[in-house]
Amino acid sequence: MPRQCVVEPHDMAQVLDPGSIVVADWHRSADSKEFFSRILHKKKRRNFGLLEAIVMPPNVSVDTVHYKIFISGKSGVGKTALAARLAGFNIPNMHYETTGIETTVVYWPVKLRESGRVLFFRLQLWDCGENALRRFDHLLPSCKEQVDAILFLFSFTDRVSFDDLSNQIARGSESCDRVVKLVVGTKFDLFMHTDVTEREVTRFQEVWGLPVFRMGGDVSNVSNLGEVAPLLNCLAEHLWHQDCVATRSTILPVATHSEAATVVHVCNPIG
């Protein structure tokens, strides 16, 4: 029988300073264009299928690391819209309940600050409708199986979703596995209708020690890399740090697989 645990605010993992592991705003640098061009098509984000991979020129060797991300939150907070935004897809203007599990693949290149090495993060985002989770007991275990990170969502226009964050975090931490946890507040731009104050968000961050990101509801520029870069970079930093702490190393072994090396959660210990 798996060990159950009670999650307290002080049990949260270390929060990294932005840019401490990966170069912040690297997407704005000239030397990043070769890599970001691989996730763009006609100045818009490419749509990657589950079996598609990044293809680089033969003279460029880049490792790809794979992670599974579960997006958690009550119905209507914008889980599907967040996945679409992170992938650069068109965001539906009308809300609809996700009827089962939907997965979205996001590729994101980063440059490690210490070594200067470039990595592609392949993030498979899992999104499941709240009603489907309640009706079918097997869906939540499937979403959490071998998960590497959980994004806990609340809406600035839905007070109940904010108050439910502690329950969300407890449900997402039942197995006591090492999982990266970040919080995303959606519909931040609808300040005239907000039910959650900045003071309350700041207090939540102080108590739980979790980063809180704010995402707006504007759907006019889904391909804007600068809008999603802070969240994707933070996610990459915490995932990479988590793996490297687990193996007490920051060295990624060289491996070859097709045109680009594919590495899944590997940081070999020194010695």
Coordinates of all heavy atoms in Angstrom, one line a residue, residues 31-66:
D31 N 21.9 34.4 -30.8 CA 22.4 33.1 -30.9 C 21.3 32.0 -30.6 O 21.5 30.8 -30.7 CB 23.6 32.8 -30.0 CG 23.2 33.0 -28.5 OD1 22.3 33.7 -28.2 OD2 23.8 32.3 -27.6
S32 N 20.1 32.5 -30.3 CA 19.0 31.6 -30.0 C 18.1 31.4 -31.3 O 17.3 30.4 -31.3 CB 18.1 32.1 -28.9 OG 17.3 33.2 -29.3
K33 N 18.3 32.2 -32.3 CA 17.4 32.1 -33.5 C 17.4 30.8 -34.2 O 16.4 30.3 -34.6 CB 17.8 33.2 -34.4 CG 17.5 34.6 -33.9 CD 17.8 35.7 -34.9 CE 17.4 37.1 -34.4 NZ 17.7 38.2 -35.4
E34 N 18.6 30.2 -34.3 CA 18.7 28.9 -34.9 C 17.8 27.8 -34.2 O 17.2 27.0 -34.9 CB 20.2 28.4 -34.9 CG 20.4 27.0 -35.4 CD 20.1 26.8 -36.9 OE1 20.1 27.9 -37.6 OE2 19.7 25.7 -37.3
F35 N 17.7 27.9 -32.9 CA 17.0 26.9 -32.1 C 15.5 27.2 -32.1 O 14.7 26.3 -32.2 CB 17.6 26.8 -30.7 CG 19.1 26.5 -30.7 CD1 20.0 27.5 -30.7 CD2 19.5 25.2 -30.8 CE1 21.4 27.2 -30.7 CE2 20.8 24.8 -30.8 CZ 21.8 25.9 -30.8
F36 N 15.2 28.5 -31.9 CA 13.8 28.8 -31.8 C 13.1 28.8 -33.2 O 11.9 28.6 -33.3 CB 13.6 30.3 -31.2 CG 13.6 30.3 -29.7 CD1 14.8 30.5 -29.0 CD2 12.4 30.0 -29.0 CE1 14.8 30.5 -27.7 CE2 12.4 30.0 -27.6 CZ 13.6 30.2 -26.9
S37 N 13.9 28.8 -34.3 CA 13.3 28.7 -35.6 C 12.8 27.3 -35.8 O 11.9 27.1 -36.7 CB 14.4 29.0 -36.7 OG 15.4 28.0 -36.7
R38 N 13.2 26.3 -35.0 CA 12.7 24.9 -35.1 C 11.4 24.7 -34.5 O 10.7 23.7 -34.7 CB 13.8 24.0 -34.4 CG 15.2 24.1 -35.0 CD 15.2 23.7 -36.5 NE 16.4 24.2 -37.2 CZ 16.7 23.8 -38.4 NH1 16.0 22.9 -39.0 NH2 17.8 24.3 -39.0
I39 N 10.9 25.7 -33.7 CA 9.6 25.5 -33.1 C 8.6 26.6 -33.7 O 7.5 26.7 -33.2 CB 9.6 25.7 -31.6 CG1 10.0 27.1 -31.2 CG2 10.5 24.7 -30.9 CD1 9.8 27.4 -29.7
L40 N 9.1 27.2 -34.8 CA 8.3 28.2 -35.5 C 8.0 27.8 -36.9 O 8.9 27.1 -37.5 CB 8.9 29.6 -35.4 CG 9.1 30.2 -34.0 CD1 9.9 31.5 -34.2 CD2 7.8 30.5 -33.3
H41 N 6.9 28.2 -37.5 CA 6.6 28.0 -38.9 C 5.8 29.2 -39.4 O 4.7 29.5 -38.9 CB 5.8 26.7 -39.1 CG 5.4 26.5 -40.5 ND1 6.3 26.2 -41.5 CD2 4.2 26.5 -41.1 CE1 5.7 26.1 -42.7 NE2 4.4 26.2 -42.5
K42 N 6.4 30.0 -40.3 CA 5.8 31.2 -40.9 C 5.5 32.1 -39.7 O 4.4 32.7 -39.6 CB 4.6 30.9 -41.7 CG 4.9 30.1 -42.9 CD 3.6 29.8 -43.7 CE 3.9 29.0 -45.0 NZ 2.7 28.7 -45.8
K43 N 6.4 32.3 -38.8 CA 6.3 33.3 -37.7 C 5.3 32.9 -36.7 O 4.9 33.7 -35.8 CB 6.1 34.7 -38.2 CG 7.2 35.2 -39.0 CD 6.9 36.7 -39.4 CE 8.1 37.3 -40.3 NZ 7.8 38.7 -40.6
K44 N 4.8 31.6 -36.8 CA 3.9 31.1 -35.8 C 4.5 29.8 -35.2 O 5.3 29.2 -35.8 CB 2.5 30.9 -36.4 CG 1.8 32.1 -36.8 CD 0.4 31.8 -37.3 CE -0.4 33.1 -37.7 NZ -1.8 32.8 -38.1
R45 N 4.0 29.4 -34.0 CA 4.5 28.2 -33.4 C 4.0 27.0 -34.2 O 2.9 26.9 -34.7 CB 3.9 28.1 -32.0 CG 4.4 29.2 -31.0 CD 5.8 29.0 -30.5 NE 5.8 27.8 -29.6 CZ 5.4 27.9 -28.3 NH1 4.9 29.0 -27.8 NH2 5.5 26.8 -27.6
R46 N 5.0 26.0 -34.3 CA 4.6 24.8 -35.0 C 3.8 23.9 -34.1 O 3.9 23.9 -32.9 CB 5.9 24.0 -35.3 CG 6.7 24.5 -36.5 CD 7.8 23.6 -36.9 NE 7.4 22.2 -37.0 CZ 8.2 21.2 -37.1 NH1 9.5 21.3 -37.0 NH2 7.7 20.0 -37.3
N47 N 2.9 23.1 -34.7 CA 2.1 22.1 -34.0 C 2.8 20.8 -34.1 O 2.9 20.2 -35.2 CB 0.7 22.1 -34.7 CG -0.3 21.2 -33.9 OD1 0.1 20.4 -33.0 ND2 -1.5 21.2 -34.3
F48 N 3.3 20.3 -32.9 CA 4.0 19.0 -32.9 C 3.0 17.9 -32.5 O 2.3 18.0 -31.5 CB 5.2 19.1 -31.9 CG 6.3 19.9 -32.4 CD1 6.4 21.3 -32.0 CD2 7.3 19.4 -33.2 CE1 7.4 22.1 -32.4 CE2 8.4 20.2 -33.6 CZ 8.4 21.5 -33.3
G49 N 3.0 16.8 -33.2 CA 2.3 15.6 -32.8 C 3.1 14.8 -31.8 O 4.2 15.1 -31.5
L50 N 2.4 13.8 -31.3 CA 3.1 13.0 -30.2 C 4.4 12.3 -30.6 O 5.3 12.1 -29.8 CB 2.1 12.0 -29.7 CG 0.9 12.5 -28.9 CD1 -0.1 11.4 -28.5 CD2 1.4 13.2 -27.6
L51 N 4.5 12.0 -31.9 CA 5.6 11.3 -32.4 C 6.6 12.1 -33.1 O 7.7 11.6 -33.6 CB 5.2 10.1 -33.3 CG 4.2 9.1 -32.7 CD1 3.8 8.0 -33.7 CD2 4.9 8.4 -31.5
E52 N 6.3 13.4 -33.2 CA 7.2 14.3 -33.9 C 8.4 14.8 -33.0 O 8.2 14.8 -31.8 CB 6.5 15.6 -34.4 CG 5.6 15.3 -35.6 CD 5.0 16.6 -36.2 OE1 4.0 17.0 -35.7 OE2 5.6 17.2 -37.1
A53 N 9.5 15.1 -33.6 CA 10.7 15.5 -32.9 C 11.3 16.7 -33.6 O 11.1 16.9 -34.8 CB 11.7 14.4 -32.7
I54 N 12.2 17.4 -32.8 CA 12.9 18.5 -33.4 C 14.0 17.9 -34.3 O 14.7 17.0 -33.9 CB 13.5 19.4 -32.3 CG1 12.4 20.1 -31.4 CG2 14.5 20.4 -32.8 CD1 11.7 21.2 -32.2
V55 N 14.2 18.5 -35.4 CA 15.3 18.1 -36.4 C 16.2 19.3 -36.5 O 15.8 20.3 -37.0 CB 14.7 17.6 -37.7 CG1 15.9 17.2 -38.6 CG2 13.8 16.5 -37.5
M56 N 17.5 19.1 -36.2 CA 18.5 20.1 -36.3 C 19.5 19.7 -37.4 O 19.5 18.6 -37.8 CB 19.3 20.2 -35.0 CG 18.5 20.7 -33.8 SD 17.8 22.4 -34.0 CE 19.4 23.3 -34.0
P57 N 20.2 20.7 -38.0 CA 21.2 20.4 -39.0 C 22.2 19.4 -38.5 O 22.5 19.3 -37.3 CB 21.9 21.7 -39.3 CG 20.8 22.8 -38.8 CD 20.1 22.1 -37.7
P58 N 22.8 18.6 -39.4 CA 23.8 17.5 -38.9 C 24.9 18.1 -38.1 O 25.5 17.4 -37.3 CB 24.3 17.0 -40.3 CG 23.2 17.3 -41.2 CD 22.6 18.6 -40.8
N59 N 25.3 19.3 -38.3 CA 26.5 19.9 -37.6 C 26.1 20.5 -36.2 O 27.0 21.0 -35.5 CB 27.1 21.0 -38.4 CG 26.2 22.2 -38.7 OD1 25.0 22.0 -38.9 ND2 26.7 23.4 -38.7
V60 N 24.8 20.4 -35.9 CA 24.4 20.9 -34.6 C 23.9 19.8 -33.7 O 22.9 19.1 -34.1 CB 23.3 22.0 -34.7 CG1 22.8 22.5 -33.4 CG2 23.8 23.1 -35.6
S61 N 24.5 19.6 -32.6 CA 24.1 18.5 -31.7 C 23.4 19.1 -30.5 O 24.0 19.9 -29.7 CB 25.3 17.7 -31.2 OG 25.0 16.7 -30.2
V62 N 22.1 18.7 -30.3 CA 21.3 19.2 -29.2 C 20.6 18.1 -28.5 O 20.0 17.2 -29.2 CB 20.3 20.2 -29.7 CG1 19.5 20.8 -28.5 CG2 20.9 21.4 -30.4
D63 N 20.7 18.0 -27.2 CA 20.0 17.0 -26.4 C 18.5 17.4 -26.2 O 18.2 18.6 -26.0 CB 20.7 16.8 -25.1 CG 22.0 16.2 -25.2 OD1 22.2 15.3 -26.1 OD2 23.0 16.6 -24.5
T64 N 17.6 16.5 -26.1 CA 16.2 16.7 -25.8 C 15.9 15.9 -24.5 O 16.1 14.7 -24.4 CB 15.3 16.2 -27.0 OG1 15.7 16.9 -28.1 CG2 13.9 16.5 -26.6
V65 N 15.3 16.6 -23.6 CA 14.8 16.0 -22.3 C 13.3 16.0 -22.3 O 12.7 17.0 -22.7 CB 15.4 16.7 -21.1 CG1 16.9 16.4 -20.9 CG2 15.2 18.2 -21.2
H66 N 12.7 14.9 -21.9 CA 11.3 14.7 -21.9 C 10.7 14.7 -20.5 O 11.2 14.1 -19.6 CB 11.0 13.3 -22.5 CG 11.4 13.2 -24.0 ND1 10.6 12.6 -24.9 CD2 12.5 13.6 -24.6 CE1 11.2 12.6 -26.1 NE2 12.4 13.2 -25.9

